[in-house]
């Protein structure tokens, strides 16, 4: 505590307020009645208190505000519009908006078709299931979602996570039918989880996954996904099913002598360079956003044509071969509703649903802030959940908001969710008429498209900023990153959640405390570490507790204040300065206190009494002062020892200190 130690060569009038100099003013203030006392709020009825707390916790956005003072018919219309926002904004839809949505929809469709085929392979599913998932879910979301910019479909991270979790339960090569059924079951329960969180207004639960943990998890997942693409990039036929970097690199180098195909590498490297160059052009000139958007489709067309005319597939270049033609078949009968696979589906679905929800929510909030409109998080969850429930019944796997496609959608000038409908229409035409043309599409180009897409998930500047701002956040970031890269995707996610919870527990159980001093020429008291010029009052220790005081931290708060007192007494004794006579606890940041916290204050009072030190409180909030009065704590320490401000408490102490001197 170097900042709180007073050196022996300091003169009393240089750094501290001399008690003698305060004597005259102190005696003048001695008989002055303080005009302001700490107010005690009126006692609330138990039911009203519970209702207010419940409303603030689950209905802080007051979702029923628009229903007030409305007729029954109007309330019914508003209720239907709340579930289907398309009915509200659809009334004002016009040709100008449609033009923007049409261009945006066609642009994101050109991006999603090749991506969907590749992402389905990440989930260990046939290519058509990726396309199915960009047909039905976007239509449902367009009717129920409130975001104007988010583009719906399969995404890389969720596809990899789903594929990894499903493979851990069922081998897709030995039991393809069972694997597919489990995928639909997991999708169904992912949707149920998302919708339930929205209906029960529990969306705040996804905030427990911190931004730092998400940055680390996404970065690790991006590297894992890219490493998985080495199979298609290098033309390897026998490849590990594990996702950790050690197993993948061992598999790659084991196949180096006989398993790599130079024609495949040439195709993949050439088109990856083209895709990255297209991205570079798009970043350099925002008006050319369509270049990186359409580049994947151009790559697919050119590479497919090249393989077809050269018959490179006969030289070892692996191709897609067959994508089933036609729109989504019904799959309700394939969902498990009983047996062991039901529990497996629920477990996988909850995890995949939460990750998908976190990504979609982050994307939706980002673009809503950029366009300055409000996004109802709980309605978004219901919309996302409903689309996945419907999707599971129409042969889709977990869909969510895609950041790359949403960014293109935004830059292409979309106005409403109609861009999702346009995209869905293009996918419908593709499924109905064009899928046979993908027969000669090389797997190498799909690998190149996925690698170019996931590179953007590695956010190095964000990781550097996290390091600069909060080292503990950086630990969470790196823990999630290395967990995904070196162990597995699910383990990385578990580490991310665990570290996020650990940080919350650490902050709750070990709240910050600070010693306060008086800012020169003011009556304001602030942290002496932040304001080194802040002066100290001899004989008085002012401590601020920067947290609510609960059972989880009450003992620590008491022990920390006593440690401050002990350290301060030792430093004062070595400097031959007056001993501490008063401890003032600044309680403005203490938003709440429970019975354990009150017992801790009582124990603190007794411990200070044994040292002949008086305890004073300054500026307790309404909840805190009400609970303190209920527990009779003010009677214990003295009603006159609770003050509105630290300055009032110091004024009360000063005459007594001068008398002692």
């Amino acid at each position: 505590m170097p900042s709180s130690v007073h050196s022996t060569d300091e003169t009393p009038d240089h750094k501290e307020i001399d008690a003698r100099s305060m004597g005259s003013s102190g005696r003048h203030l001695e008989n002055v009645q303080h005009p302001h006392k700490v107010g005690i709020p009126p006692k609330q009825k138990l039911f009203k208190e519970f209702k207010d707390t419940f409303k603030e916790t689950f209905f802080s956005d007051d979702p029923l505000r628009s229903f007030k003072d409305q007729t029954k018919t109007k309330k019914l219309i508003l209720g239907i519009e709340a579930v289907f926002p398309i009915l509200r904004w659809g009334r004002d839809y016009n040709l100008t908006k449609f033009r923007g949505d049409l261009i945006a929809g066609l642009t994101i469709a050109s991006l999603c078709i090749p991506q969907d085929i590749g992402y389905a392979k990440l989930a260990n599913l046939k290519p058509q299931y990726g396309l199915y998932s960009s047909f039905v879910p976007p239509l449902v979301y367009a009717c129920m979602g409130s975001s104007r910019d988010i583009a719906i479909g399969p995404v890389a991270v969720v596809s990899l996570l789903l594929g990894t979790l499903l493979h851990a339960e069922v081998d897709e090569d030995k039991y393809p039918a069972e694997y597919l059924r489990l995928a639909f079951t997991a999708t169904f329960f992912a949707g149920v989880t998302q919708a339930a969180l929205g209906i029960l207004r529990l969306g705040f639960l996804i905030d427990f996954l911190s931004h730092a943990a998400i940055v680390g998890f996404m970065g690790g997942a991006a590297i894992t996904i890219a490493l998985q693409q080495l199979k298609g990039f290098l033309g390897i036929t026998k490849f590990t099913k594990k996702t950790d970097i050690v197993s993948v690199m061992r598999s790659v180098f084991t196949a180096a002598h006989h398993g790599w195909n130079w024609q495949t590498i040439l195709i993949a490297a050439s088109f990856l360079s083209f895709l990255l160059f297209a991205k570079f052009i798009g970043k350099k000139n925002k008006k050319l956003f369509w270049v990186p958007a359409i580049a994947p489709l151009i790559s697919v067309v050119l590479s497919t044509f090249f393989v077809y005319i050269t018959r490179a597939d006969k030289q070892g270049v692996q191709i897609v071969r067959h994508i089933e033609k036609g729109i989504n078949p019904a799959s309700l009968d394939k969902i498990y509703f009983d047996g062991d696979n039901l529990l497996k589906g629920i477990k996988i679905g909850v995890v995949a649903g939460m990750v998908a929800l976190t990504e979609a929510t982050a994307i939706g909030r980002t673009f809503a802030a950029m366009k300055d409109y409000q996004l109802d998080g709980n309605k978004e969850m219901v919309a996302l959940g409903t689309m996945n429930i419907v999707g599971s019944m129409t042969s889709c796997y977990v869909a969510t908001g895609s950041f790359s496609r949403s960014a293109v959608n935004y830059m292409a000038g979309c106005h409403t969710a109609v861009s999702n409908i346009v995209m869905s229409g293009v996918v419908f035409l593709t499924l109905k008429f064009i899928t046979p043309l993908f027969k000669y599409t090389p797997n190498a180009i799909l690998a190149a498209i996925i690698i170019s897409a996931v590179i953007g998930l590695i956010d190095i500047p964000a990781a550097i900023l996290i390091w600069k701002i909060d080292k503990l956040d950086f630990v969470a970031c790196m823990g999630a990153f290395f967990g995904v890269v070196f162990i597995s995707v699910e383990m990385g996610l578990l580490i991310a959640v665990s570290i996020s919870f650990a940080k919350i527990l650490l902050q709750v159980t070990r709240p910050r405390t600070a010693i306060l001093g008086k800012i020169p020429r003011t009556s304001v008291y602030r942290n002496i570490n932040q304001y080194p010029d802040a002066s100290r009052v001899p004989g008085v220790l002012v401590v601020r507790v920067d947290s609510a005081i609960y059972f989880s931290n009450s003992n620590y708060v008491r022990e920390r204040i006593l440690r401050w007192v002990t350290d301060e007494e030792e430093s004062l004794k070595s400097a031959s300065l007056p001993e501490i006579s008063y401890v003032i606890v600044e309680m403005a940041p203490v938003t709440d206190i429970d019975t354990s916290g009150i017992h801790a204050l009582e124990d603190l009072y007794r411990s200070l009494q044994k040292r002949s030190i008086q305890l004073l409180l300054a500026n307790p909030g309404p909840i805190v002062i009400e609970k303190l009065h209920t527990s009779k704590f003010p009677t214990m320490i003295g009603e006159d020892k609770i003050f509105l401000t630290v300055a009032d408490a110091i004024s009360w102490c000063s005459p007594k200190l001068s008398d002692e001197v």
Side-chain angles (χ1 to χ4, degrees):
M1 285 176 38
S3 58
S4 61
V5 176
H6 306 287
S7 60
T8 54
D9 59 350
E10 274 189 22
T11 57
D13 59 343
H14 173 63
K15 188 69 176 172
E16 299 184 336
I17 302 173
D18 186 6
R20 292 182 184 275
S21 67
M22 292 181 60
S24 59
S25 61
R27 291 189 184 95
H28 174 71
L29 289 167
E30 191 169 13
N31 296 317
V32 175
Q33 183 97 23
H34 293 299
H36 298 293
K37 293 287 185 181
V38 176
I40 303 172
K43 188 73 175 175
Q44 281 190 330
K45 292 183 179 179
L46 179 62
F47 177 74
K48 186 177 186 307
E49 185 178 355
F50 173 79
K51 187 178 78 170
D52 291 346
T53 302
F54 183 83
K55 181 180 178 181
E56 190 59 33
T57 302
F58 297 101
F59 300 94
S60 57
D61 57 343
D62 195 9
L64 301 179
R65 188 191 304 112
S66 60
F67 289 80
K68 292 177 181 176
D69 304 321
Q70 301 290 345
T71 63
K72 290 183 178 180
T73 304
K74 184 64 175 177
K75 286 180 180 178
L76 177 62
I77 294 171
L78 288 172
I80 295 172
E81 288 180 350
V83 178
F84 301 102
I86 191 172
L87 299 176
R88 183 173 60 252
W89 55 258
R91 290 197 298 266
D92 302 321
Y93 200 69
N94 54 45
L95 192 60
T96 304
K97 290 181 179 179
F98 177 70
R99 191 182 299 115
D101 289 336
L102 178 63
I103 294 170
L106 292 173
T107 308
I108 58 175
S110 67
L111 178 63
C112 86
I113 291 169
Q115 282 187 348
D116 291 346
I117 295 171
Y119 292 161
K121 296 176 84 67
L122 282 177
N124 302 316
L125 295 169
K126 292 179 180 178
Q128 64 264 23
Y129 293 105
L131 294 172
Y132 292 161
S133 301
S134 279
F135 171 45
V136 173
L139 291 175
V140 178
Y141 181 84
C143 296
M144 300 185 67
S146 53
S147 173
R148 306 170 194 167
D149 305 278
I150 197 168
I152 297 297
V155 297
V157 173
V158 176
S159 298
L160 176 67
L161 178 65
L162 189 67
T164 305
L165 295 174
L166 289 171
H167 177 76
E169 300 293 345
V170 179
D171 189 316
E172 66 276 10
D173 295 326
K174 293 181 180 178
Y175 308 103
E178 188 177 339
Y179 182 91
L180 184 62
R181 291 189 65 184
L182 192 59
F184 294 151
T185 305
T187 302
F188 177 83
F189 286 104
V192 169
T193 301
Q194 293 168 336
L197 288 175
I199 293 169
L200 299 176
R201 306 189 69 80
L202 297 174
F204 58 85
L205 291 177
I206 65 172
D207 293 330
F208 281 104
L209 196 59
S210 69
H211 171 70
I214 292 172
V215 169
F217 175 75
M218 289 295 187
I223 289 177
T224 301
I225 291 167
L227 290 172
Q228 289 287 305
Q229 301 317 302
L230 292 176
K231 176 185 179 182
F233 196 95
L234 302 174
I236 301 172
T237 52
K238 293 183 179 180
F239 201 74
T240 181
K241 293 290 185 180
K242 296 180 180 178
T243 60
D244 64 282
I245 189 170
V246 176
S247 300
V248 170
M249 296 313 295
R250 185 187 296 121
S251 185
V252 168
F253 289 117
T254 301
H257 298 295
H258 55 83
W260 293 12
N261 182 274
W262 70 267
Q263 294 99 328
T264 301
I265 297 172
L266 180 63
I267 294 171
S270 300
F271 283 102
L272 179 59
S273 301
F274 168 69
L275 291 167
L276 294 177
F277 180 68
K279 274 195 167 187
F280 175 77
I281 292 174
K283 283 185 178 180
K284 277 290 184 182
N285 189 342
K286 298 296 182 184
K287 291 182 179 179
L288 297 176
F289 67 88
W290 54 271
V291 173
I294 203 169
L297 188 59
I298 292 173
S299 300
V300 168
V301 172
L302 291 177
S303 62
T304 302
F305 180 70
F306 173 77
V307 170
Y308 177 73
I309 62 172
T310 62
R311 294 315 307 262
D313 56 309
K314 296 187 181 297
Q315 305 299 318
V317 175
Q318 297 175 34
I319 58 175
V320 172
R321 294 196 181 278
H322 176 69
I323 298 179
E324 194 169 316
K325 188 177 178 181
I327 60 171
N328 311 29
S331 56
L332 177 60
D333 59 325
K334 294 180 180 177
I335 298 174
Y336 289 111
F337 289 108
D338 55 24
D340 293 339
N341 285 329
L342 171 63
L343 296 177
K344 293 176 183 177
I346 293 173
K347 181 181 71 173
I348 297 169
V350 169
V351 175
M354 291 292 281
V355 174
L357 195 57
T358 302
E359 188 169 354
T361 303
I363 294 167
R365 287 173 180 171
T366 299
F367 289 105
M370 290 169 69
K371 282 193 175 179
D372 193 27
Y373 64 89
Q374 292 295 319
L375 200 65
D376 189 324
N378 290 296
K379 286 181 182 177
E380 280 295 284
M381 293 173 195
V382 174
L384 291 164
T386 304
M387 79 177 190
N388 277 314
I389 291 172
V390 174
S392 69
M393 300 175 185
T394 52
S395 300
C396 304
Y397 73 94
V398 182
T400 187
S402 163
F403 190 82
S404 60
R405 273 176 259 173
S406 299
V408 170
N409 196 30
Y410 169 79
M411 296 176 71
C414 71
H415 295 284
T416 67
V418 169
S419 59
N420 274 294
I421 297 175
V422 173
M423 179 191 71
S424 180
V426 174
V427 173
F428 166 77
L429 294 174
T430 303
L431 284 166
K432 199 72 176 169
F433 304 108
I434 305 176
T435 49
L437 299 179
F438 290 109
K439 178 180 179 180
Y440 289 99
T441 299
N443 290 339
I445 193 61
L446 301 178
I449 289 170
I450 292 174
I451 291 171
S452 68
V454 299
I455 284 175
L457 296 176
I458 305 172
D459 197 344
I460 295 175
I464 293 172
L465 185 62
I466 290 168
W467 165 258
K468 291 178 179 178
I469 293 174
D470 191 325
K471 301 300 184 288
L472 193 58
D473 257 359
F474 186 75
V475 171
C477 180
M478 290 297 99
F481 176 82
F482 288 117
V484 173
V485 172
F486 285 97
I487 308 176
S488 65
V489 177
E490 60 269 33
M491 186 55 67
L493 183 62
L494 180 61
I495 291 172
V497 173
S498 300
I499 294 178
S500 296
F501 269 104
K503 184 183 177 185
I504 294 170
L505 290 174
L506 185 63
Q507 290 174 337
V508 169
T509 58
R510 293 295 181 267
R512 296 182 185 275
T513 56
I515 291 182
L516 308 185
K518 182 174 177 289
I519 304 295
R521 296 179 297 280
T522 72
S523 60
V524 176
Y525 287 77
R526 291 292 182 266
N527 188 338
I528 60 172
N529 289 329
Q530 185 178 2
Y531 299 94
D533 292 336
S535 56
R536 306 281 296 283
V537 180
V540 179
L541 178 66
V542 184
V543 180
R544 187 182 68 210
V545 180
D546 292 335
S547 167
I549 305 177
Y550 292 130
F551 65 93
S552 57
N553 63 20
S554 56
N555 285 328
Y556 171 79
V557 170
R558 176 179 58 81
E559 291 168 1
R560 188 69 187 92
I561 294 174
L562 290 174
R563 203 166 353 122
W564 279 124
V565 173
T566 302
D567 293 344
E568 194 71 10
E569 284 181 332
E570 289 176 358
S571 63
L572 292 173
K573 187 176 180 180
S574 64
S576 301
L577 292 171
E579 294 181 348
I580 295 175
S581 298
Y582 300 94
V583 170
I584 301 173
V585 180
E586 159 68 289
M587 300 191 72
V590 181
T591 55
D592 201 355
I593 191 169
D594 64 4
T595 52
S596 297
I598 294 172
H599 287 314
L601 289 181
E602 292 171 350
D603 292 340
L604 175 64
Y605 168 73
R606 295 188 190 99
S607 299
L608 293 176
Q609 283 287 92
K610 292 176 183 177
R611 302 188 188 193
S612 299
I613 298 174
Q614 295 192 53
L615 175 64
L616 283 66
L617 304 183
N619 197 18
I623 295 174
V624 174
I625 193 64
E626 181 186 352
K627 291 183 178 181
L628 291 177
H629 271 276
T630 302
S631 67
K632 310 297 183 186
F633 182 73
T635 305
M636 173 184 282
I637 66 169
E639 296 275 357
D640 59 338
K641 292 178 182 174
I642 300 178
F643 299 89
L644 186 63
T645 66
V646 173
D648 287 348
I650 294 291
S651 298
W652 186 87
C653 298
S654 300
K656 297 172 176 54
L657 288 170
S658 62
D659 290 342
E660 290 175 10
V661 174

